[in-house]
Amino acid sequence: MSRPGEPEGLHAHRSASAASVPTAVLTVSDTRTLSTDTGGALAEELLRGAGHPVAWRRVVRDAPAEISAAVAAALDDAGVRAVFV
């Protein structure tokens, strides 16, 4: 049953959705490291708090080839279903 004010079908969509989505957090920065990446740490904390496992978290330089390789690596991970950049 839909909640008041929700479009029809939203309840069915929600009930068919996964309860948790394995994720990867990727920070693009030329100056940050894992220890100084507060934004990535917050994203990981919020994802875990919402019940989504974080398979890995990385910082890569702001270079297209490195970003592309990191996203590909995340998606190659058998458990990862979402990448947050």
Side-chain angles (χ1 to χ4, degrees), residues 44-75:
E44 181 177 7
E45 178 184 333
L46 292 172
L47 285 164
R48 288 186 192 280
H52 303 290
V54 177
W56 61 258
R57 183 175 142 232
R58 296 192 182 142
V59 176
V60 297
R61 289 184 315 129
D62 190 1
E66 289 188 36
I67 298 166
S68 179
V71 170
L75 294 174

Side-chain angles (χ1 to χ4, degrees), residues 4-6 8-9 13 21-22 26-27 29 36 43 49 58 63 73 75-76 84:
E6 286 184 345
E8 288 299 315
H13 172 76
V21 178
L26 177 64
T27 299
S29 176
T36 63
R58 296 192 182 142
L75 294 174
D76 282 345
F84 290 87

Side-chain angles (χ1 to χ4, degrees), residues 3 7 11-13 16-17 23 25 27 29 32-33 38-39 44 50 53 56 61 72 75 81-83:
R3 297 177 195 160
H11 175 74
H13 172 76
S17 299
T23 60
V25 176
T27 299
S29 176
R32 299 282 181 208
T33 65
T38 57
E44 181 177 7
W56 61 258
R61 289 184 315 129
L75 294 174
R81 296 291 171 255
V83 179

